Amino acid sequence: MEIAVGRGIQTLAHCSFFPFTVKTIDRTSFTRSNNGWLAKKGPGSAPSHQRVVVVRAQNRPTWLPGLDPPPYLDGTLAGDFGFDPLGLGEDPESLKWYVQAELVHARFAMAGVAGILATDLLRVTGISNLPVWYEAGATKFSFASTRTLIIVQLLLMGFVETKRYMDFITPGSQAKEGSFFGLEASFEGLEPGYPGGPLLNPLGLAKDIKNAHEWKLKEIKNGRLAMVAILGIFVQANVTHVGPIDNLIQHLSNPWHTTIIQIVFGSKS
């Protein structure tokens, strides 16, 4: 979108915070095209000292309007809004790894938030006698000792994470026959970070992963929201020593006097 404006706002071209790409051109007359209002010299027109500012709005959304994203974040990645204040993605190989790391953390956060809220709701409503989420790790089970559970979890998670890392290093290597106990067809790896098949994609969503940008964007947006939410749950538990559902009930029972401000200042006193 282009907008040709008069001399009156020519100074905007020198403003560093102006969220548009701005250029100035000589003007003797206006003409309108599909690209907007542009300046055009007519036949026999005299030279003019007037100037026109042509403003082109950015087509790509960024995390801060008007901010030019770094060149290595060109918008091709799902959820790329040009946010990298520390420059962690300058190295292409590091950028690939950070993309996978964010994706895995996002998925763990979404599973964690859903698990915490579901179990806390069952506990508060009395449907099940479950411990509050931050005490669940201390629960003793009759079918196995804590040491046994830790060892089993380390072995299973270690195996899965090793397979994921090997597929990241050599894409497609873990889809070869015999590489996953004969279960390769049940996963149908689409690309690193996006396994599929009836086990991990039972609804058959985004089978064409190369053209599934919208699904990838939705996932990473929800994942980032979940990471912020899980951080909030951690902080709430540390300050209030209750679960998120209890926090919500307390706030709704007295919304004007049970807020983060009263809780933080009350804990300091």
Side-chain angles (χ1 to χ4, degrees):
M1 178 182 67
E2 288 184 348
I3 307 171
V5 294
R7 188 176 181 178
I9 65 167
Q10 185 175 350
T11 54
L12 290 175
H14 305 287
C15 297
S16 59
F17 59 85
F18 193 56
F20 301 98
T21 302
V22 181
K23 63 180 180 179
T24 60
I25 59 175
D26 290 329
R27 176 181 72 90
T28 56
S29 62
F30 284 113
T31 182
R32 186 173 186 177
S33 66
N34 292 332
N35 295 324
W37 288 94
L38 300 174
K40 179 181 178 181
K41 286 187 177 182
S45 58
S48 173
H49 296 289
Q50 294 179 340
R51 309 285 285 181
V52 174
V53 179
V54 178
V55 184
R56 184 184 300 275
Q58 291 183 350
N59 294 324
R60 178 189 168 189
T62 56
W63 69 278
L64 185 62
L67 183 70
D68 290 330
Y72 52 86
L73 296 179
D74 56 4
T76 56
L77 295 172
D80 175 14
F81 295 99
F83 181 81
D84 187 16
L86 300 180
L88 299 177
E90 291 182 357
D91 178 50
E93 294 302 318
S94 298
L95 180 59
K96 292 179 182 179
W97 176 254
Y98 286 131
V99 168
Q100 295 298 314
E102 182 187 33
L103 190 58
V104 171
H105 281 81
R107 289 169 178 170
F108 271 113
M110 287 188 285
V113 170
I116 289 173
L117 293 179
T119 55
D120 211 43
L121 186 61
L122 293 175
R123 179 185 62 83
V124 172
T125 56
I127 297 177
S128 180
N129 186 25
L130 294 171
V132 67
W133 70 270
Y134 50 82
E135 295 179 353
T139 303
K140 302 295 182 180
F141 297 96
S142 58
F143 61 86
S145 65
T146 301
R147 179 180 297 178
T148 301
L149 292 175
I150 292 176
I151 293 175
V152 171
Q153 182 174 357
L154 287 175
L155 291 174
L156 293 177
M157 290 297 295
F159 173 76
V160 173
E161 286 299 295
T162 300
K163 300 289 284 185
R164 185 176 68 84
Y165 180 73
M166 293 170 64
D167 191 61
F168 171 77
I169 298 298
T170 310
S173 62
Q174 303 308 300
K176 295 180 180 179
E177 185 177 356
S179 62
F180 210 93
F181 305 114
L183 300 175
E184 301 82 17
S186 299
F187 293 98
E188 295 179 359
L190 303 174
E191 66 178 47
Y194 294 94
L199 292 180
L200 298 179
N201 189 14
L203 300 180
L205 302 176
K207 286 187 176 181
D208 183 9
I209 196 65
K210 299 298 182 182
N211 298 316
H213 184 79
E214 184 178 353
W215 288 105
K216 291 180 179 180
L217 181 60
K218 289 179 179 179
E219 180 185 34
I220 199 62
K221 280 185 174 181
N222 283 279
R224 289 168 179 170
L225 181 62
M227 287 189 282
V228 175
I230 201 76
L231 177 62
I233 291 175
F234 289 166
V235 173
Q236 277 187 315
N238 183 63
V239 174
T240 65
H241 307 292
V242 296
I245 302 299
D246 286 318
N247 287 140
L248 179 61
I249 293 175
Q250 291 173 5
H251 170 68
L252 294 178
S253 63
N254 192 3
W256 296 108
H257 299 90
T258 308
T259 67
I260 186 173
I261 298 176
Q262 282 85 1
I263 291 174
V264 169
F265 282 95
S267 62
K268 290 183 180 180
S269 61

mmCIF file of all heavy atoms in Angstrom, residues 75-81 103 107 110 191 194 205-224:
data_model
loop_
_atom_site.group_PDB
_atom_site.id
_atom_site.type_symbol
_atom_site.label_atom_id
_atom_site.label_comp_id
_atom_site.label_asym_id
_atom_site.label_seq_id
_atom_site.Cartn_x
_atom_site.Cartn_y
_atom_site.Cartn_z
ATOM 1 N N GLY A 75 10.797 -14.245 8.083
ATOM 2 C CA GLY A 75 9.368 -14.529 8.091
ATOM 3 C C GLY A 75 8.987 -15.897 7.579
ATOM 4 O O GLY A 75 7.804 -16.232 7.540
ATOM 5 N N THR A 76 9.958 -16.718 7.191
ATOM 6 C CA THR A 76 9.625 -18.052 6.676
ATOM 7 C C THR A 76 9.344 -19.044 7.792
ATOM 8 O O THR A 76 8.652 -20.033 7.568
ATOM 9 C CB THR A 76 10.777 -18.577 5.802
ATOM 10 O OG1 THR A 76 11.994 -18.579 6.562
ATOM 11 C CG2 THR A 76 10.964 -17.694 4.567
ATOM 12 N N LEU A 77 9.857 -18.799 8.982
ATOM 13 C CA LEU A 77 9.615 -19.704 10.106
ATOM 14 C C LEU A 77 8.240 -19.437 10.708
ATOM 15 O O LEU A 77 7.768 -18.298 10.732
ATOM 16 C CB LEU A 77 10.688 -19.515 11.178
ATOM 17 C CG LEU A 77 12.126 -19.877 10.798
ATOM 18 C CD1 LEU A 77 13.077 -19.458 11.904
ATOM 19 C CD2 LEU A 77 12.245 -21.369 10.523
ATOM 20 N N ALA A 78 7.607 -20.490 11.186
ATOM 21 C CA ALA A 78 6.301 -20.342 11.838
ATOM 22 C C ALA A 78 6.453 -19.521 13.113
ATOM 23 O O ALA A 78 7.306 -19.803 13.952
ATOM 24 C CB ALA A 78 5.722 -21.716 12.165
ATOM 25 N N GLY A 79 5.627 -18.491 13.242
ATOM 26 C CA GLY A 79 5.673 -17.650 14.431
ATOM 27 C C GLY A 79 6.822 -16.669 14.457
ATOM 28 O O GLY A 79 7.153 -16.135 15.520
ATOM 29 N N ASP A 80 7.430 -16.411 13.303
ATOM 30 C CA ASP A 80 8.545 -15.470 13.232
ATOM 31 C C ASP A 80 8.012 -14.044 13.140
ATOM 32 O O ASP A 80 7.481 -13.636 12.109
ATOM 33 C CB ASP A 80 9.426 -15.798 12.018
ATOM 34 C CG ASP A 80 10.542 -14.768 11.820
ATOM 35 O OD1 ASP A 80 10.781 -13.972 12.750
ATOM 36 O OD2 ASP A 80 11.160 -14.774 10.747
ATOM 37 N N PHE A 81 8.174 -13.291 14.237
ATOM 38 C CA PHE A 81 7.779 -11.888 14.262
ATOM 39 C C PHE A 81 8.992 -10.986 14.471
ATOM 40 O O PHE A 81 8.869 -9.850 14.923
ATOM 41 C CB PHE A 81 6.738 -11.643 15.358
ATOM 42 C CG PHE A 81 5.447 -12.364 15.112
ATOM 43 C CD1 PHE A 81 5.181 -13.567 15.749
ATOM 44 C CD2 PHE A 81 4.506 -11.872 14.216
ATOM 45 C CE1 PHE A 81 3.994 -14.256 15.519
ATOM 46 C CE2 PHE A 81 3.323 -12.546 13.975
ATOM 47 C CZ PHE A 81 3.063 -13.740 14.620
ATOM 48 N N LEU A 103 10.034 -25.435 20.112
ATOM 49 C CA LEU A 103 8.894 -26.286 19.796
ATOM 50 C C LEU A 103 8.681 -27.344 20.870
ATOM 51 O O LEU A 103 7.546 -27.582 21.319
ATOM 52 C CB LEU A 103 9.124 -26.942 18.438
ATOM 53 C CG LEU A 103 7.948 -27.689 17.805
ATOM 54 C CD1 LEU A 103 6.751 -26.763 17.613
ATOM 55 C CD2 LEU A 103 8.369 -28.297 16.471
ATOM 56 N N ARG A 107 5.509 -27.618 23.580
ATOM 57 C CA ARG A 107 4.641 -28.792 23.715
ATOM 58 C C ARG A 107 4.608 -29.303 25.150
ATOM 59 O O ARG A 107 3.551 -29.700 25.654
ATOM 60 C CB ARG A 107 5.118 -29.881 22.756
ATOM 61 C CG ARG A 107 4.836 -29.545 21.293
ATOM 62 C CD ARG A 107 5.533 -30.479 20.333
ATOM 63 N NE ARG A 107 5.197 -30.166 18.948
ATOM 64 C CZ ARG A 107 5.805 -30.691 17.897
ATOM 65 N NH1 ARG A 107 6.807 -31.559 18.069
ATOM 66 N NH2 ARG A 107 5.437 -30.352 16.675
ATOM 67 N N MET A 110 2.383 -26.894 27.090
ATOM 68 C CA MET A 110 0.950 -27.109 26.849
ATOM 69 C C MET A 110 0.449 -28.338 27.586
ATOM 70 O O MET A 110 -0.637 -28.327 28.193
ATOM 71 C CB MET A 110 0.691 -27.231 25.340
ATOM 72 C CG MET A 110 0.803 -25.920 24.588
ATOM 73 S SD MET A 110 0.273 -26.000 22.850
ATOM 74 C CE MET A 110 1.661 -26.874 22.115
ATOM 75 N N GLU A 191 8.752 -34.146 9.069
ATOM 76 C CA GLU A 191 9.999 -33.393 9.019
ATOM 77 C C GLU A 191 10.476 -33.262 10.452
ATOM 78 O O GLU A 191 9.704 -33.518 11.389
ATOM 79 C CB GLU A 191 9.811 -32.020 8.369
ATOM 80 C CG GLU A 191 8.950 -31.068 9.141
ATOM 81 C CD GLU A 191 8.839 -29.706 8.465
ATOM 82 O OE1 GLU A 191 8.604 -29.649 7.245
ATOM 83 O OE2 GLU A 191 8.987 -28.700 9.175
ATOM 84 N N TYR A 194 8.193 -32.675 13.603
ATOM 85 C CA TYR A 194 6.782 -32.870 13.250
ATOM 86 C C TYR A 194 6.525 -34.323 12.850
ATOM 87 O O TYR A 194 6.289 -34.622 11.683
ATOM 88 C CB TYR A 194 6.380 -31.932 12.119
ATOM 89 C CG TYR A 194 6.399 -30.477 12.509
ATOM 90 C CD1 TYR A 194 7.523 -29.695 12.267
ATOM 91 C CD2 TYR A 194 5.310 -29.883 13.149
ATOM 92 C CE1 TYR A 194 7.561 -28.364 12.636
ATOM 93 C CE2 TYR A 194 5.338 -28.560 13.527
ATOM 94 C CZ TYR A 194 6.467 -27.799 13.269
ATOM 95 O OH TYR A 194 6.494 -26.477 13.651
ATOM 96 N N LEU A 205 -4.416 -34.180 10.827
ATOM 97 C CA LEU A 205 -4.271 -32.754 10.549
ATOM 98 C C LEU A 205 -2.899 -32.479 9.945
ATOM 99 O O LEU A 205 -1.901 -33.082 10.323
ATOM 100 C CB LEU A 205 -4.437 -31.945 11.839
ATOM 101 C CG LEU A 205 -5.761 -32.129 12.580
ATOM 102 C CD1 LEU A 205 -5.743 -31.354 13.884
ATOM 103 C CD2 LEU A 205 -6.931 -31.689 11.722
ATOM 104 N N ALA A 206 -2.861 -31.553 9.014
ATOM 105 C CA ALA A 206 -1.596 -31.084 8.418
ATOM 106 C C ALA A 206 -0.773 -32.232 7.856
ATOM 107 O O ALA A 206 0.419 -32.358 8.130
ATOM 108 C CB ALA A 206 -0.786 -30.304 9.448
ATOM 109 N N LYS A 207 -1.407 -33.098 7.075
ATOM 110 C CA LYS A 207 -0.651 -34.188 6.469
ATOM 111 C C LYS A 207 0.393 -33.664 5.496
ATOM 112 O O LYS A 207 1.473 -34.235 5.361
ATOM 113 C CB LYS A 207 -1.610 -35.146 5.761
ATOM 114 C CG LYS A 207 -2.417 -36.022 6.722
ATOM 115 C CD LYS A 207 -3.225 -37.053 5.967
ATOM 116 C CE LYS A 207 -3.943 -37.994 6.935
ATOM 117 N NZ LYS A 207 -4.722 -39.032 6.220
ATOM 118 N N ASP A 208 0.060 -32.583 4.796
ATOM 119 C CA ASP A 208 1.032 -31.948 3.917
ATOM 120 C C ASP A 208 1.780 -30.905 4.731
ATOM 121 O O ASP A 208 1.410 -29.737 4.775
ATOM 122 C CB ASP A 208 0.326 -31.310 2.717
ATOM 123 C CG ASP A 208 1.314 -30.700 1.726
ATOM 124 O OD1 ASP A 208 2.525 -30.929 1.887
ATOM 125 O OD2 ASP A 208 0.865 -30.000 0.795
ATOM 126 N N ILE A 209 2.833 -31.342 5.419
ATOM 127 C CA ILE A 209 3.504 -30.477 6.384
ATOM 128 C C ILE A 209 4.174 -29.287 5.718
ATOM 129 O O ILE A 209 4.348 -28.235 6.336
ATOM 130 C CB ILE A 209 4.535 -31.302 7.186
ATOM 131 C CG1 ILE A 209 4.962 -30.553 8.455
ATOM 132 C CG2 ILE A 209 5.735 -31.659 6.317
ATOM 133 C CD1 ILE A 209 3.860 -30.351 9.454
ATOM 134 N N LYS A 210 4.530 -29.413 4.450
ATOM 135 C CA LYS A 210 5.185 -28.305 3.764
ATOM 136 C C LYS A 210 4.240 -27.122 3.569
ATOM 137 O O LYS A 210 4.678 -25.976 3.497
ATOM 138 C CB LYS A 210 5.721 -28.769 2.403
ATOM 139 C CG LYS A 210 6.754 -29.884 2.494
ATOM 140 C CD LYS A 210 7.995 -29.449 3.270
ATOM 141 C CE LYS A 210 9.033 -30.565 3.313
ATOM 142 N NZ LYS A 210 10.221 -30.180 4.107
ATOM 143 N N ASN A 211 2.944 -27.396 3.499
ATOM 144 C CA ASN A 211 1.950 -26.339 3.305
ATOM 145 C C ASN A 211 1.079 -26.148 4.549
ATOM 146 O O ASN A 211 -0.042 -25.659 4.454
ATOM 147 C CB ASN A 211 1.065 -26.664 2.092
ATOM 148 C CG ASN A 211 1.860 -26.728 0.800
ATOM 149 O OD1 ASN A 211 2.709 -25.875 0.545
ATOM 150 N ND2 ASN A 211 1.601 -27.742 -0.006
ATOM 151 N N ALA A 212 1.609 -26.546 5.703
ATOM 152 C CA ALA A 212 0.832 -26.486 6.944
ATOM 153 C C ALA A 212 1.274 -25.305 7.806
ATOM 154 O O ALA A 212 1.339 -25.412 9.025
ATOM 155 C CB ALA A 212 0.978 -27.792 7.708
ATOM 156 N N HIS A 213 1.583 -24.184 7.180
ATOM 157 C CA HIS A 213 2.092 -23.038 7.928
ATOM 158 C C HIS A 213 1.072 -22.548 8.957
ATOM 159 O O HIS A 213 1.451 -22.166 10.081
ATOM 160 C CB HIS A 213 2.442 -21.901 6.972
ATOM 161 C CG HIS A 213 3.054 -20.720 7.661
ATOM 162 N ND1 HIS A 213 4.381 -20.686 8.048
ATOM 163 C CD2 HIS A 213 2.517 -19.533 8.067
ATOM 164 C CE1 HIS A 213 4.637 -19.531 8.650
ATOM 165 N NE2 HIS A 213 3.525 -18.819 8.667
ATOM 166 N N GLU A 214 -0.195 -22.564 8.620
ATOM 167 C CA GLU A 214 -1.218 -22.075 9.558
ATOM 168 C C GLU A 214 -1.284 -22.941 10.811
ATOM 169 O O GLU A 214 -1.391 -22.426 11.929
ATOM 170 C CB GLU A 214 -2.581 -22.048 8.862
ATOM 171 C CG GLU A 214 -3.686 -21.460 9.736
ATOM 172 C CD GLU A 214 -5.021 -21.391 9.030
ATOM 173 O OE1 GLU A 214 -5.068 -21.684 7.808
ATOM 174 O OE2 GLU A 214 -6.019 -21.051 9.687
ATOM 175 N N TRP A 215 -1.193 -24.276 10.636
ATOM 176 C CA TRP A 215 -1.219 -25.170 11.784
ATOM 177 C C TRP A 215 0.031 -24.977 12.643
ATOM 178 O O TRP A 215 -0.032 -24.998 13.877
ATOM 179 C CB TRP A 215 -1.328 -26.622 11.327
ATOM 180 C CG TRP A 215 -2.674 -26.977 10.795
ATOM 181 C CD1 TRP A 215 -3.037 -27.168 9.494
ATOM 182 C CD2 TRP A 215 -3.869 -27.189 11.563
ATOM 183 N NE1 TRP A 215 -4.370 -27.478 9.396
ATOM 184 C CE2 TRP A 215 -4.908 -27.505 10.643
ATOM 185 C CE3 TRP A 215 -4.165 -27.156 12.929
ATOM 186 C CZ2 TRP A 215 -6.205 -27.781 11.064
ATOM 187 C CZ3 TRP A 215 -5.468 -27.428 13.341
ATOM 188 C CH2 TRP A 215 -6.458 -27.727 12.409
ATOM 189 N N LYS A 216 1.174 -24.818 12.000
ATOM 190 C CA LYS A 216 2.414 -24.577 12.741
ATOM 191 C C LYS A 216 2.322 -23.279 13.534
ATOM 192 O O LYS A 216 2.766 -23.200 14.689
ATOM 193 C CB LYS A 216 3.602 -24.507 11.782
ATOM 194 C CG LYS A 216 3.977 -25.824 11.126
ATOM 195 C CD LYS A 216 5.171 -25.620 10.201
ATOM 196 C CE LYS A 216 5.593 -26.907 9.531
ATOM 197 N NZ LYS A 216 6.763 -26.714 8.634
ATOM 198 N N LEU A 217 1.743 -22.251 12.917
ATOM 199 C CA LEU A 217 1.612 -20.963 13.581
ATOM 200 C C LEU A 217 0.699 -21.063 14.796
ATOM 201 O O LEU A 217 1.004 -20.518 15.861
ATOM 202 C CB LEU A 217 1.074 -19.920 12.594
ATOM 203 C CG LEU A 217 0.908 -18.496 13.124
ATOM 204 C CD1 LEU A 217 2.248 -17.933 13.595
ATOM 205 C CD2 LEU A 217 0.299 -17.591 12.063
ATOM 206 N N LYS A 218 -0.414 -21.764 14.649
ATOM 207 C CA LYS A 218 -1.337 -21.938 15.779
ATOM 208 C C LYS A 218 -0.655 -22.688 16.921
ATOM 209 O O LYS A 218 -0.820 -22.343 18.098
ATOM 210 C CB LYS A 218 -2.588 -22.693 15.324
ATOM 211 C CG LYS A 218 -3.505 -21.890 14.414
ATOM 212 C CD LYS A 218 -4.706 -22.718 13.991
ATOM 213 C CE LYS A 218 -5.643 -21.909 13.108
ATOM 214 N NZ LYS A 218 -6.817 -22.707 12.665
ATOM 215 N N GLU A 219 0.114 -23.721 16.575
ATOM 216 C CA GLU A 219 0.775 -24.507 17.615
ATOM 217 C C GLU A 219 1.792 -23.681 18.377
ATOM 218 O O GLU A 219 1.819 -23.699 19.614
ATOM 219 C CB GLU A 219 1.456 -25.732 17.006
ATOM 220 C CG GLU A 219 2.154 -26.595 18.062
ATOM 221 C CD GLU A 219 2.939 -27.744 17.470
ATOM 222 O OE1 GLU A 219 3.506 -27.588 16.375
ATOM 223 O OE2 GLU A 219 2.993 -28.808 18.118
ATOM 224 N N ILE A 220 2.624 -22.950 17.665
ATOM 225 C CA ILE A 220 3.673 -22.203 18.354
ATOM 226 C C ILE A 220 3.098 -21.033 19.141
ATOM 227 O O ILE A 220 3.611 -20.678 20.211
ATOM 228 C CB ILE A 220 4.751 -21.725 17.350
ATOM 229 C CG1 ILE A 220 6.046 -21.373 18.089
ATOM 230 C CG2 ILE A 220 4.271 -20.552 16.524
ATOM 231 C CD1 ILE A 220 6.678 -22.535 18.812
ATOM 232 N N LYS A 221 2.016 -20.435 18.667
ATOM 233 C CA LYS A 221 1.377 -19.361 19.430
ATOM 234 C C LYS A 221 0.793 -19.902 20.732
ATOM 235 O O LYS A 221 0.971 -19.302 21.807
ATOM 236 C CB LYS A 221 0.277 -18.696 18.596
ATOM 237 C CG LYS A 221 0.775 -17.676 17.583
ATOM 238 C CD LYS A 221 -0.399 -16.988 16.904
ATOM 239 C CE LYS A 221 0.064 -15.854 15.999
ATOM 240 N NZ LYS A 221 -1.085 -15.167 15.358
ATOM 241 N N ASN A 222 0.068 -21.020 20.642
ATOM 242 C CA ASN A 222 -0.479 -21.624 21.857
ATOM 243 C C ASN A 222 0.627 -22.109 22.780
ATOM 244 O O ASN A 222 0.507 -22.037 24.011
ATOM 245 C CB ASN A 222 -1.416 -22.774 21.493
ATOM 246 C CG ASN A 222 -2.769 -22.305 21.011
ATOM 247 O OD1 ASN A 222 -3.645 -21.964 21.795
ATOM 248 N ND2 ASN A 222 -2.959 -22.263 19.703
ATOM 249 N N GLY A 223 1.716 -22.611 22.188
ATOM 250 C CA GLY A 223 2.830 -23.061 23.004
ATOM 251 C C GLY A 223 3.504 -21.930 23.751
ATOM 252 O O GLY A 223 3.870 -22.073 24.924
ATOM 253 N N ARG A 224 3.689 -20.794 23.100
ATOM 254 C CA ARG A 224 4.287 -19.638 23.778
ATOM 255 C C ARG A 224 3.386 -19.138 24.898
ATOM 256 O O ARG A 224 3.859 -18.750 25.971
ATOM 257 C CB ARG A 224 4.557 -18.528 22.765
ATOM 258 C CG ARG A 224 5.696 -18.849 21.805
ATOM 259 C CD ARG A 224 5.762 -17.892 20.643
ATOM 260 N NE ARG A 224 6.883 -18.199 19.755
ATOM 261 C CZ ARG A 224 7.075 -17.651 18.568
ATOM 262 N NH1 ARG A 224 6.207 -16.750 18.118
ATOM 263 N NH2 ARG A 224 8.114 -17.984 17.825
#
